[in-house]
Amino acid sequence: MGIVDVVSEYCTLPRTRRHLKKKQFQTVEMKVRIDCEGCERKIRKALEGMEGVSSVEVAARQNKVTVAGYVDAGKVMRRVARRTGKRVEPWPYVPYDVVAHPYAPGAYDKKAPPGYVRNVVADPNAAPLARASSTEVRYTAAFSDENPNAACAVM
């Protein structure tokens, strides 16, 4: 038994590496009010200095900021809010093709960019009218042109 064996018994490394979390590449989309080119420049400057950020896209007309890289979404949003003093929220819109009833109350938003509606698929409490219940689906399927067994009582 050598000196290395004696020292290795007393100096052991932890078997789990919880403190070494590896961040995954992700895209963070957020809604930030952008009034002018100065606001856009301030947002871009706040994010480009952040560790792990690969690219920053700012769409001023849509009030949308997209950040790609090995980052945490919460940290990115907190940094933008702190450095710019603006209110930041996750991007609440999806293309209207994704939502079953895009013009139902709660899904339709006048402030949304063209071609987008509020994301009611992710939040079930946002708009109960935007999703059809199982009985509604059953009744609409019963009288569908695609259903060969659909019976029409009035002929």
Side-chain angles (χ1 to χ4, degrees), residues 37-54:
E37 291 179 14
C39 297
E40 181 178 346
R41 192 170 38 251
K42 190 185 289 187
I43 292 169
R44 194 176 296 276
K45 186 176 178 184
L47 290 171
E48 285 178 347
M50 191 172 181
E51 183 179 335
V53 173
S54 299

